[in-house]
Structure formats: structure tokens, C-alpha cells
């Protein structure tokens, strides 16, 4: 029997989604997630790096290049193949969950009409 992986948290989901277009550094990930959710999700720096550490341990992201900007190291993160697969599974799971509610709402609306 295969063990099912737990669903991604919302911050994890949007962190992985931010990396779909290529490697980003921490601030870039925060801004991409904020933009993707129209400002609804604001990932705090501590939350981001804790999530990145867990995602890295799970093999879903990997550190990439590092550069020095204004005397500080800026590390880029990239999505791994496993990360892309996990993101796709999670998107499908959410789509299926939403379909239940949307289908129920439509049939309830038709019943009251």
C-alpha cells in the first residue's frame, strides 16, 4: 500500500507555483505569491524560509545559484521534477474539490428556480 502525501499548505502551493517560470530568490517568491493571489496571501519572511526548508527536505525545491547583492547573499530556489508533480497533483485535488461545491451550487440553484 502506498502512503499518500499530505496536501500542500496554501503558502507551500503558491511558493511552488511561483517557481514554475524559473528560479527566484526569496523576495521574488514573496512578490510572485502576493501577485498571484491579488494581495490576499502575504508570506512573511520567516514563513517563507521555514516552508522552503521543508520543501527542500521533501525534494520539491532545490537551491540554485547564489549571488551577492549589496553585500548580502541572495540564494535562488528552483522547482524540482518532484515539486512540479506535487504541484500538479495539488492543483488537480483542488479542482476536484471545487467541482463538488460548484456542481452542488448549480443543482441547488436549478432546484430553487
Amino acid at each position: 500500500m502506498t502512503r499518500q502525501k499530505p496536501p500542500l499548505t496554501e503558502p507551500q502551493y503558491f511558493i511552488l507555483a511561483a517557481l514554475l517560470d524559473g528560479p527566484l530568490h526569496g523576495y521574488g517568491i514573496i512578490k510572485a505569491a502576493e501577485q498571484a493571489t491579488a494581495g490576499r496571501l502575504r508570506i512573511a519572511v520567516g514563513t517563507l524560509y521555514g516552508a522552503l526548508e521543508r520543501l527542500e527536505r521533501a525534494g520539491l525545491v532545490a537551491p540554485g545559484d547564489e549571488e551577492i547583492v549589496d553585500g548580502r547573499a541572495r540564494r535562488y530556489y528552483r522547482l524540482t521534477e518532484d515539486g512540479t508533480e506535487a504541484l500538479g497533483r495539488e492543483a488537480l485535488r483542488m479542482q476536484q474539490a471545487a467541482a463538488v461545491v460548484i456542481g452542488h451550487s448549480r443543482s441547488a440553484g436549478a432546484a430553487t428556480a
Side-chain angles (χ1 to χ4, degrees):
M1 183 155 91
T2 60
R3 188 173 162 186
Q4 199 151 15
K5 295 177 181 169
L8 298 170
T9 65
E10 187 175 32
Q12 289 172 334
Y13 179 83
F14 283 103
I15 288 167
L16 294 179
L19 298 174
L20 279 170
D21 290 331
L24 286 173
H25 54 79
Y27 183 72
I29 294 170
I30 288 171
K31 295 317 275 178
E34 192 173 320
Q35 184 177 12
T37 62
R40 185 182 55 76
L41 178 66
R42 294 175 186 217
I43 302 172
V45 172
T47 300
L48 172 71
Y49 287 104
L52 282 169
E53 186 177 304
R54 286 186 294 281
L55 292 168
E56 187 177 347
R57 277 196 314 260
L60 304 181
V61 300
D65 295 334
E66 199 169 290
E67 66 181 350
I68 304 298
V69 177
D70 295 329
R72 296 175 55 192
R74 178 182 285 174
R75 176 178 286 164
Y76 286 78
Y77 293 87
R78 64 176 179 77
L79 199 55
T80 64
E81 190 175 317
D82 285 348
T84 301
E85 290 173 10
L87 185 59
R89 277 192 311 272
E90 185 65 11
L92 181 59
R93 185 191 72 79
M94 289 191 304
Q95 182 182 36
Q96 291 168 340
V100 170
V101 174
I102 292 167
H104 187 274
S105 297
R106 287 188 183 143
S107 63
T112 60

